[in-house]
Structures are given as structure tokens and as C-alpha cells.
Amino acid sequence: MPGKIIVITGANGGLGRTLAQRFAGEGETVVLLGRSLAKVKAVADGIGAGALAVECDVTSPDSVRAAFAAIAEHHPRIDALINNAAVFKPFLLEEATDEQILGMLLTNLAGPILCTRSAIPMLNRDGHIINLSSESVEEAFPHLTLYQSTKAGLETFGTHLQHELANKGIRVTTVRAGPMMGPDTVPEMDPMAMGRFFEEAAKRGLDLMARGVSQYQSTTQIFRMLLDLPPDVNVGVVRFRSRVPD
């Protein structure tokens, strides 16, 4: 049986890269989307056969259309779209710049919507759209109002899109994830912003240092399970939390 064709956004690093590496290693064909072609191409080159790198800025409708047109030249039909690309930066809304607000809204919410719109005509029956959300939508994390709102909107989008696509046989799943990292993870948060974030979290009774952090490689098992669901099974939402191993 031929492998699946899986499109992954934000595949130049982190979870997206780890998913691409795992799926390609298991015989699937992966299409890596990223804003920097050089970065996703480096990942694709490292994977080798079965990986295609395509430049895509998910915040731009024209870039998304061009990216999926490029995918169609190689793979007219696909089996899955994993909307992984996202921006995570804590800040207070009153202090936010226009770029911070628009960047997060466009990347975290509009981006998955734009990619999904382009992917729907290409998805096979029994195809799958997987949207990555965050445990923060239901927890009182500080300085994440806009991030939480974009992820909550993404969850609502997935819930209602499932009904819209039911007659096409396309499944839609939200994965609500806890914190993750990999062996080469480098914190991207400004040290001052990080300090304020941890300080305010402590005031709310959240000891972030005591919370577990899952490894990217471990969490890929959840996505593998979802892509291997039998045709008569649908999973609307998966929630997972990190834990501290014994």
C-alpha cells in the first residue's frame, strides 16, 4: 500500500520538523511548508527521498495559494494537512504593538484557515485536517490573552468545519497540547518578558517550573494514531498534558 502524503506547516523546526522526520522514516511522503525556503529545504534535504520543501507564508493568501499550487504539481491529491505553524509570545495586550497583534492573529488563526481552504479540494476521501491548539485555552496562564484567543478560535473553527466537510468524508481533529520541547530547543522568549511571565504565573498559583514538558518525539505518537484511524472512527478533539516521569 502506498504511503500517505502529509502536508505540515511550520516544518522548519520544532514539532513540525519532528513529525516530518518520523513520517518520512515510516514510508510516508511529507511536504514541508515554511516561511523560509532555505530552512525547510535544509530539513527536507536531511530527510532525503520522500520530502518536498515548499515556501509558504501562512499569513499571506497569495503565498498559501502559490504553495498549494506548487504542491499540486507534485501531488495532485493529499491525505493530510497538519496546521502546526504558530506564534507563541507572552505580552500584555495594552503593551502590544500592531505587529504583535496582527502577526499572532494571522499566523495562529488566519493561517490554518487559509491553508485548509487550499487543501480541501486536494484532500482524498478519508483525508484528515489536524489543527494544533494549546492547553492554555482552559488555563489561567498570564500574558497570553491573544494567544489563548487565537487557539480558542482555531478549536471552534475545527468543530464546525467537521460538519461542513462531513459529506466529503474529510475528518477534522483538534490536538490540544501541553508544553513540548526537543533536544535542540532554544528559548525564543525575551528574558524580561519570560521573567514577567513566570512571576505573574506564580501569583496565579501556577508553578511553571514544576510542570512537565513533553519531548517532540514522544508527542508524534498522537499524530501517528490519528492518521491511522480506521475509516469508521472519528476523533474530534485530543487533549494531552505533559507529565514528569517517575
Side-chain angles (χ1 to χ4, degrees):
M1 176 180 289
K4 297 179 184 292
I5 299 171
I6 305 166
V7 179
I8 305 169
T9 70
N12 60 288
L15 177 63
R17 177 178 60 190
T18 308
L19 286 168
Q21 291 169 337
R22 171 169 181 164
F23 292 145
E26 294 171 342
E28 318 289 16
T29 296
V30 292
V31 180
L32 289 69
L33 301 188
R35 184 175 298 179
S36 167
L37 179 58
K39 289 182 179 179
V40 287
K41 189 174 185 305
V43 177
D45 289 346
I47 291 173
L52 171 67
V54 177
E55 182 177 4
C56 181
D57 177 355
V58 300
T59 71
S60 164
D62 288 340
S63 180
V64 170
R65 275 190 285 265
F68 278 84
I71 295 170
E73 292 178 2
H74 298 268
H75 308 293
R77 306 295 298 175
I78 62 175
D79 296 289
L81 166 67
I82 300 177
N83 283 310
N84 165 72
V87 172
F88 174 86
K89 287 187 178 179
F91 53 77
L92 291 173
L93 185 60
E94 65 184 286
E95 299 174 357
T97 64
D98 294 346
E99 290 75 17
Q100 284 177 311
I101 292 172
L102 292 175
M104 191 166 288
L105 286 170
L106 291 172
T107 304
N108 295 6
L109 185 54
I113 293 171
L114 292 171
C115 289
T116 297
R117 179 179 66 177
S118 288
I120 289 171
M122 298 171 61
L123 280 161
N124 289 315
R125 193 165 187 86
D126 293 328
H128 209 149
I129 298 165
I130 302 176
N131 297 320
L132 191 64
S133 183
S134 163
E135 67 177 5
S136 68
V137 300
E138 60 180 3
E139 292 208 32
F141 289 107
H143 297 199
L144 292 179
T145 298
L146 193 58
Y147 178 78
Q148 291 159 322
S149 298
T150 59
K151 290 301 187 179
L154 184 61
E155 292 195 8
T156 300
F157 168 67
T159 296
H160 296 292
L161 183 66
Q162 176 65 68
H163 300 298
E164 183 177 325
L165 298 181
N167 65 335
K168 295 181 180 293
I170 297 172
R171 288 178 280 206
V172 182
T173 300
T174 295
V175 175
R176 184 186 288 179
M180 295 173 278
M181 65 180 297
D184 58 351
T185 300
V186 177
E188 297 182 358
M189 197 185 308
D190 175 81
M192 185 175 294
M194 181 181 295
R196 294 173 63 191
F197 177 60
F198 275 76
E199 181 180 351
E200 185 61 31
K203 291 179 182 178
R204 299 186 186 188
L206 299 171
D207 184 356
L208 300 182
M209 298 301 294
R211 300 170 73 93
V213 178
S214 299
Q215 294 294 307
Y216 292 131
Q217 187 61 45
S218 300
T219 63
T220 62
Q221 184 60 32
I222 295 167
F223 295 84
R224 179 75 269 176
M225 176 270 293
L226 289 172
L227 293 180
D228 290 342
L229 288 172
D232 59 338
V233 174
N234 182 67
V235 176
V237 180
V238 172
R239 297 176 176 87
F240 76 84
R241 293 182 180 274
S242 306
R243 66 184 292 267
V244 179
D246 296 333

